[in-house]
């Protein structure tokens, strides 16, 4: 600023005193009337340019000045009270006359209509083996006092009865009385008590189930979710098997729920073993199941195109293979000069095409296996799960498809566990073919 | 809810009662009457024909009949007569693979053209199931085959991309030689009813498998000769451009490919067993485990 002064620019010197002038003005403006400084600051320190609410829209205060309003400390009575207690409170008195009418809160004194039976009625309709008249009378008295709050009633009941028992007795008595007093059964048939009587066993079960759900630990929740998903899988495989109505398929679907059942049993143990076991069983089933469910779904369709059918079967066959494998199969097909989608899709051609694809899959899996074994043999502790493959290899030739599925599965796992600890294998080569080994840390 | 879970598991371990097999009953039952002119066309008929109808409706399990079809388009360039918006005259069609009459199973064909056409939804009620139009653009045509009621309730959808211009970019458009694009496919009817089977078993358009020996079909009045006297597709002028699809070539190639793959599989298996033999020897002495 001084520099400008020196340079002799007089005009600029003027705003400075102006600023100084405006600032004290602003400061005085800042002290608003009626509200504190902090609150005023919320509006941004400036009064709002326009009123946020249109004043005309607000209701005018109804206060015609011809009335004289005073407030007086007066006594009042409450009709809801049984005694004549007189309490005091402030009352708005208009023109000297106090307000009339009941205490405004008296209308909220509601109570339940608890049925009152006579002794005769008791003798006639309400006798019960497990309830004496005394107890029943006590029950009803408590119910009336506590407005049918059965939890409270149960607490106060002299002999210990569960809430459900009390409810049961109360509702059945009321129901019996209702029916007995009704001029004709039709009149009361609409009454909720008559239409839907209290079902004590159902209630007990329901509450027990509820409390169990409430007290479920996180682990149990997880287990339940797992079981549910497995149940769903079983359902689906069962649906496919049923729709197909094939004897062979019925066998596989019978083994798969059993397989699932057996795998859920060791769920109690460490969960990693569970994951492997189910995933081990799944691919074997998945190959056969996929083909079965694909065939079943096609049959459901009734009318379909051969190309569509081929696509479905191809998808089913390659479902256990990853995307890369599928691409490799297609590459192979191209190398063999075979069309990826046959140009003349007759039944025979499609069947051959499908078989060819399956064989290529098998070949690729075998090649991968071979590769792994060759690499595995370079490690001294090459005691992976390879060895048990050999007996399976020989015995599995007819069923190359499912074998391919197992080894893809296992190969995938082995790829992840390259540097894992070795497993002893040769002692039991004759294992059940359907169950891959669980990779446990300790082995027998 | 542990209890609930056990309950569900129990469900799956017991065999649930099978109720599947005879459940596809009678959305077909009514419609068989349309082909046996004797029986009255009422819904709940409890007449002597009832048994016969039931036989006709019965499904032949594990049997499928297939109808090979070819669908596609032929496009002629209009040459001198071509204008900007009408440069080609094209015909899209669905035909039997050997130019047979498809009306034995197909009731009508609905073709959905591009929205720029008037009335883009075209219906062809009788063979030859084709549609001719003129235009300039290529687009996807949705072809829907509606079948006779005893064949199938549901229609089948095909998609064909209309091709007007030849593949080679030199674009030697000739008025004489059309652009032909056809696709072969087969419509498969799984578990056909006996009535349908009997009706079509001798029709050249339909491939019908051999029935197991001793199987007898209910008698069905043969297709009337005058029904066959509809437009014989063989008189179609476009027939000369149709491609002949033969499966022999493909089968040969596939068989050769399979042989190759099988040979390779055998080779890899031999290699695997070799390595396993080595492994067995390595593991004979107890190793660190």
């Amino acid at each position: 600023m001084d520099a400008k002064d020196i340079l002799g620019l007089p005009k600029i010197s003027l705003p400075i005193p102006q600023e100084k002038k405006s600032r004290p003005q602003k400061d005085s403006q800042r002290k608003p009337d009626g509200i504190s400084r902090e609150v005023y600051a919320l509006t941004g320190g400036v009064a709002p340019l326009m009123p946020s609410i249109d004043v005309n829209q607000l209701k005018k205060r109804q206060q015609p000045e011809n009335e004289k309003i005073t407030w007086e400390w007066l006594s009042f009575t409450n009709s809801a009270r049984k005694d004549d207690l007189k309490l005091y409170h402030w009352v708005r008195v208009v023109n000297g006359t106090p307000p009339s009418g009941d205490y405004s809160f008296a209308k909220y004194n509601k109570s339940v209509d608890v049925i009152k039976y006579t002794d005769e009625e008791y003798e006639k309709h309400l006798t019960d083996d497990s309830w004496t008249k005394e107890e029943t009378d006590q029950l009803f008295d408590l119910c009336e006092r506590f407005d049918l709050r059965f939890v409270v009633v149960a607490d106060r009941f002299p002999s210990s009865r569960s809430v459900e028992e009390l409810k049961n007795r109360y509702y059945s008595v009321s129901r019996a009385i209702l029916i007995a007093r009704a001029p004709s059964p039709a009149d009361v048939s609409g009454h909720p008590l008559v239409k839907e009587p209290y079902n004590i066993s159902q209630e007990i079960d329901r509450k027990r189930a509820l409390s169990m759900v409430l007290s479920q630990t996180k682990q149990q929740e997880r287990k339940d979710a797992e079981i549910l998903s497995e149940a769903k899988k079983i359902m689906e495989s069962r649906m496919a098997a049923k729709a197909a109505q094939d004897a062979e398929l019925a066998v596989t679907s019978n083994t798969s729920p059993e397989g699932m059942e057996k795998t859920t049993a060791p769920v109690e143990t460490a969960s990693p073993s569970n994951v492997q076991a189910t995933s081990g069983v799944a691919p074997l089933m998945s190959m056969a199941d996929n083909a079965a469910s694909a065939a079943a779904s096609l049959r459901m369709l009734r009318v379909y195109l051969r190309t569509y059918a081929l696509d479905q079967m191809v998808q089913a066959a390659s479902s256990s293979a990853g995307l890369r494998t599928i691409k490799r199969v297609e590459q192979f097909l191209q190398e063999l000069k075979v069309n990826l989608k046959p140009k003349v899709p007759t039944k025979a051609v499609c069947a051959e095409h499908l078989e060819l694809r399956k064989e290529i899959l098998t070949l690729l899996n075998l090649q991968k296996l071979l590769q792994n074994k060759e690499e595995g043999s370079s490690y001294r502790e090459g005691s992976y799960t390879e060895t048990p493959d050999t007996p399976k290899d020989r015995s599995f030739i007819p069923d190359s498809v499912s074998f391919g599925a197992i080894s893809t599965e296992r190969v995938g796992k082995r790829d992840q566990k390259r540097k894992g600890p070795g497993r002893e294998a040769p002692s039991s080569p004759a294992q059940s073919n359907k169950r891959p080994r669980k990779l446990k840390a300790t082995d027998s | 809810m542990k209890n609930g879970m056990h309950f569900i598991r129990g469900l799956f371990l017991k065999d649930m009662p099978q109720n599947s097999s005879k459940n596809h009953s009678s959305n077909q039952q009514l419609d068989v009457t349309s082909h046996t002119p004797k029986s009255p066309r009422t819904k709940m008929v409890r007449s002597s024909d009832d048994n016969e109808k039931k036989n006709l409706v019965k499904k032949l399990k594990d049997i499928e009949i297939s109808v090979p079809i070819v669908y596609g388009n032929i496009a002629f360039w209009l040459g001198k007569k071509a204008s900007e918006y009408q440069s080609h005259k094209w015909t899209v069609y669905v035909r039997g693979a050997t130019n047979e009459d498809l009306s034995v199973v197909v009731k009508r064909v609905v073709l959905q053209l591009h929205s720029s056409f008037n009335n883009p939804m075209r219906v062809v009620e009788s063979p030859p199931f084709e549609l001719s139009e003129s235009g300039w653009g290529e687009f996807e045509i949705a072809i829907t085959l509606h079948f006779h009621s005893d064949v199938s309730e549901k229609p089948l959808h095909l998609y064909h991309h209309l091709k007007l211009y030849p593949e080679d970019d030199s674009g030697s458009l000739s008025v004489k030689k059309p652009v032909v694009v056809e696709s072969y496919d087969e419509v498969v009817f799984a578990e056909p009813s006996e009535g349908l089977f009997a009706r079509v078993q001798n029709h050249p358009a339909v491939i019908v498998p051999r029935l197991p020996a001793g199987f007898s079909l209910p008698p069905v009045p043969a297709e009337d000769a005058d029904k066959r006297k509809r437009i014989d597709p063989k008189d179609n002028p476009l027939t000369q451009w149709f491609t002949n699809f033969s499966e022999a070539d493909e089968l040969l190639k596939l068989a050769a490919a399979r042989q190759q793959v099988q040979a390779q599989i055998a080779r890899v298996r031999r290699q695997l067993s070799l390595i396993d033999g080595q492994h067995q020897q390595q593991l004979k002495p107890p190793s660190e485990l």
Side-chain angles (χ1 to χ4, degrees):
Chain A
M1 294 301 145
D2 292 329
K4 285 186 181 166
D5 249 339
I6 295 167
L7 286 172
L9 303 164
K11 278 191 188 166
I12 299 180
S13 61
L14 282 175
I16 302 171
Q18 266 180 16
E19 278 175 36
K20 286 197 186 139
K21 271 192 211 159
S22 60
R23 250 191 261 128
Q25 265 178 13
K26 257 211 243 167
D27 276 338
S28 61
Q29 269 174 10
R30 273 204 194 140
K31 277 186 224 160
D33 313 321
I35 50 176
S36 73
R37 202 157 43 91
E38 283 83 7
V39 175
Y40 192 62
L42 287 175
T43 60
V46 179
L49 298 170
M50 288 186 53
S52 47
I53 309 172
D54 192 7
V55 186
N56 300 330
Q57 302 295 342
L58 297 170
K59 278 198 270 195
K60 297 271 182 208
R61 191 145 170 231
Q62 304 280 0
Q63 201 172 20
E65 283 304 314
N66 44 7
E67 292 181 349
K68 209 168 56 152
I69 312 285
T70 53
W71 285 87
E72 291 181 15
W73 183 252
L74 295 174
S75 76
F76 66 97
T77 51
N78 184 353
S79 63
R81 294 192 73 94
K82 296 198 193 71
D83 49 18
D84 283 332
L85 181 64
K86 282 204 170 25
L87 295 171
Y88 291 82
H89 65 186
W90 286 104
V91 177
R92 186 170 181 265
V93 177
V94 185
N95 283 349
T97 35
S100 56
D102 199 4
Y103 180 51
S104 58
F105 294 103
K107 60 181 181 275
Y108 298 116
N109 188 35
K110 298 267 187 229
S111 62
V112 183
D113 294 327
V114 171
I115 287 190
K116 295 240 184 329
Y117 49 83
T118 64
D119 290 344
E120 277 174 36
E121 285 179 319
Y122 189 87
E123 299 295 311
K124 266 211 297 195
H125 310 283
L126 307 173
T127 47
D128 189 285
D129 295 331
S130 47
W131 283 82
T132 66
K133 185 167 191 308
E134 245 182 34
E135 279 194 311
T136 317
D137 288 344
Q138 279 173 339
L139 170 65
F140 270 75
D141 176 49
L142 284 173
C143 283
E144 189 173 344
R145 274 165 58 193
F146 294 112
D147 300 325
L148 286 191
R149 284 176 291 171
F150 282 100
V151 186
V152 182
V153 171
D155 278 344
R156 313 243 164 175
F157 206 71
S159 51
S160 66
R161 294 259 191 183
S162 73
V163 176
E164 287 84 20
E165 281 180 42
L166 298 173
K167 278 196 188 178
N168 193 24
R169 182 64 179 149
Y170 173 78
Y171 287 125
S172 45
V173 164
S174 311
R175 189 164 186 267
I177 295 274
L178 258 181
I179 295 178
R181 289 186 187 168
S184 82
D187 289 345
V188 255
S189 57
H191 189 94
L193 257 185
V194 177
K195 259 204 302 193
E196 289 143 27
Y198 184 75
N199 184 343
I200 182 164
S201 50
Q202 197 182 50
E203 283 294 300
I204 293 178
D205 280 334
R206 181 181 68 89
K207 290 191 182 172
R208 189 161 46 92
L210 210 54
S211 68
M212 286 176 64
V213 177
L214 190 61
S215 55
Q216 248 188 358
T217 60
K218 264 235 161 77
Q219 168 132 24
Q220 263 185 312
E221 267 181 42
R222 259 193 298 124
K223 266 193 274 175
D224 286 344
E226 276 171 20
I227 295 178
L228 268 176
S229 63
E230 281 172 20
K232 211 169 117 187
K233 267 191 269 174
I234 298 173
M235 267 295 272
E236 283 167 9
S237 68
R238 276 214 163 205
M239 295 287 279
K242 271 192 197 172
Q245 288 176 8
D246 205 333
E248 183 194 329
L249 292 171
V251 168
T252 51
S253 71
N254 276 337
T255 53
S256 74
E258 285 165 22
M260 297 293 181
E261 166 70 22
K262 284 180 201 152
T263 54
T264 53
V267 156
E268 318 300 333
T269 62
S271 43
S273 64
N274 173 36
V275 169
Q276 286 169 13
T278 44
S279 58
V281 177
L284 169 66
M285 290 305 131
S286 73
M287 266 300 226
D289 272 350
N290 274 331
S293 52
S297 71
L298 286 172
R299 234 169 293 195
M300 291 295 228
L301 275 184
R302 283 303 155 82
V303 186
Y304 52 86
L305 282 171
R306 183 84 63 195
T307 44
Y308 173 76
L310 180 62
D311 280 341
Q312 294 286 309
M313 298 303 277
V314 165
Q315 255 185 34
S318 42
S319 58
S320 57
L323 196 57
R324 242 189 320 156
T325 325
I326 298 176
K327 286 253 161 17
R328 285 169 65 195
V329 170
E330 296 187 347
Q331 235 182 340
F332 214 97
L333 281 170
Q334 281 172 334
E335 285 169 23
L336 289 167
K337 299 254 181 24
V338 170
N339 299 319
L340 283 177
K341 294 201 177 218
K343 280 268 179 294
V344 189
T346 60
K347 192 168 180 174
V349 167
C350 286
E352 286 284 301
H353 189 98
L354 193 61
E355 290 305 310
L356 178 61
R357 275 195 185 241
K358 287 191 195 164
E359 283 174 0
I360 294 180
L361 252 180
T362 317
L363 176 61
L364 289 176
N365 289 332
L366 280 176
Q367 283 177 339
K368 219 178 187 181
L369 193 55
L370 181 63
Q371 206 183 23
N372 287 338
K373 281 206 183 176
E374 281 170 351
E375 287 172 20
S377 64
S378 61
Y379 293 114
R380 225 34 200 97
E381 38 201 306
S383 45
Y384 281 121
T385 49
E386 290 107 12
T387 343
D389 286 347
T390 344
K392 289 185 203 178
D393 187 16
R394 288 193 202 114
S395 58
F396 240 140
I397 286 181
D399 199 0
S400 53
V401 171
S402 44
F403 166 62
I406 292 185
S407 54
T408 342
E409 234 305 302
R410 269 273 209 72
V411 159
K413 275 194 264 180
R414 235 181 283 117
D415 278 342
Q416 295 161 8
K417 299 190 180 107
R418 281 259 111 161
K419 313 258 186 215
R423 266 197 68 247
E424 65 109 316
S427 53
S428 48
Q431 273 255 322
S432 147
N433 285 337
K434 295 220 191 280
R435 292 247 238 113
R437 298 351 204 29
K438 295 184 202 172
L439 290 170
K440 284 196 236 172
T442 59
D443 215 339
S444 54
Chain B
M1 275 185 69
K2 241 197 203 148
N3 281 4
M5 288 307 144
H6 287 298
F7 175 61
I8 291 179
R9 257 199 257 154
L11 250 187
F12 289 110
L13 295 182
K14 298 184 226 155
D15 241 341
M16 299 207 277
Q18 303 266 354
N19 64 342
S20 29
S21 54
K22 301 290 181 177
N23 60 0
H24 335 283
S25 58
S26 41
N27 54 358
Q28 303 250 351
Q29 194 161 12
L30 334 158
D31 301 298
V32 183
T33 56
S34 62
H35 289 282
T36 52
K38 301 174 209 159
S39 349
R41 285 175 180 261
T42 51
K43 289 202 175 179
M44 290 297 169
V45 171
R46 283 255 158 238
S47 65
S48 56
D49 303 304
D50 210 27
N51 234 8
E52 184 187 295
K53 263 194 275 170
K54 280 208 185 125
N55 281 342
L56 291 173
V57 159
K58 210 168 90 180
K59 299 271 175 288
L60 295 164
K61 304 246 180 296
D62 300 331
I63 284 189
E64 58 175 39
I65 60 180
S66 50
V67 180
I69 59 170
V70 173
Y71 59 96
N73 76 275
I74 293 183
F76 286 92
W77 183 50
L78 291 175
K80 279 182 283 183
K81 294 182 238 164
S83 72
E84 197 184 333
Y85 291 111
Q86 316 265 309
S87 62
H88 285 74
K89 187 162 175 349
W90 49 264
T91 309
V92 62
Y93 54 84
V94 180
R95 64 177 173 91
T98 42
N99 296 333
E100 297 298 341
D101 181 12
L102 283 180
S103 61
V104 59
V105 286
V106 174
K107 188 157 72 166
R108 62 172 193 276
V109 175
V110 178
L111 300 123
Q112 186 77 22
L113 305 177
H114 192 264
S115 42
S116 56
F117 281 88
N118 277 341
N119 300 331
M121 184 147 123
R122 306 285 172 94
V123 182
V124 185
E125 299 276 354
S126 64
F129 295 108
E130 60 185 37
L131 176 75
S132 298
E133 262 289 349
S134 48
W136 58 269
E138 300 182 344
F139 53 90
E140 188 173 82
I141 303 180
I143 306 175
T144 313
L145 302 174
H146 291 266
F147 302 102
H148 292 298
S149 20
D150 67 333
V151 177
S152 165
E153 300 289 318
K154 288 185 287 190
L156 192 59
H157 300 281
L158 306 164
Y159 298 94
H160 175 69
H161 184 83
L162 181 73
K163 203 124 185 28
L164 303 177
Y165 299 97
E167 282 292 322
D168 47 344
D169 292 329
S170 60
S172 53
L173 297 170
S174 110
V175 189
K176 301 237 177 78
K177 203 155 165 245
V179 171
V180 182
V181 175
E182 293 189 316
S183 314
Y184 177 97
D185 211 328
E186 293 187 352
V187 183
V188 182
F189 302 102
E191 299 188 355
S193 66
E194 286 191 4
L196 171 64
F197 196 96
R199 181 164 75 88
V200 300
Q201 59 181 334
N202 291 323
H203 196 284
V206 182
I207 299 180
V208 162
R210 270 197 187 289
L211 286 179
F215 209 94
S216 61
L217 286 174
V220 173
E223 279 272 302
D224 304 336
D226 47 313
K227 277 192 191 165
R228 289 264 193 97
K229 269 191 200 145
R230 293 205 196 113
I231 310 170
D232 194 347
K234 295 210 168 93
D235 294 321
N236 195 328
L238 296 173
T239 320
Q240 53 175 321
W241 304 113
F242 290 163
T243 3
N244 205 359
F245 288 92
S246 128
E247 57 171 356
D249 190 33
E250 223 146 353
L251 273 178
L252 267 175
K253 268 207 228 135
L254 282 172
R258 280 190 74 184
Q259 267 196 333
Q260 264 197 336
V261 175
Q262 278 162 1
Q264 290 198 18
I265 288 181
R267 193 161 44 91
V268 175
R269 286 231 170 98
R270 258 181 284 129
Q271 286 180 318
L272 275 173
S273 54
L274 266 178
I275 294 190
D276 282 339
Q278 295 171 0
H279 266 199
Q280 292 281 5
Q281 289 174 1
Q282 281 173 356
L283 286 167
K284 276 271 164 55
S287 49
E288 63 281 28
L289 286 168

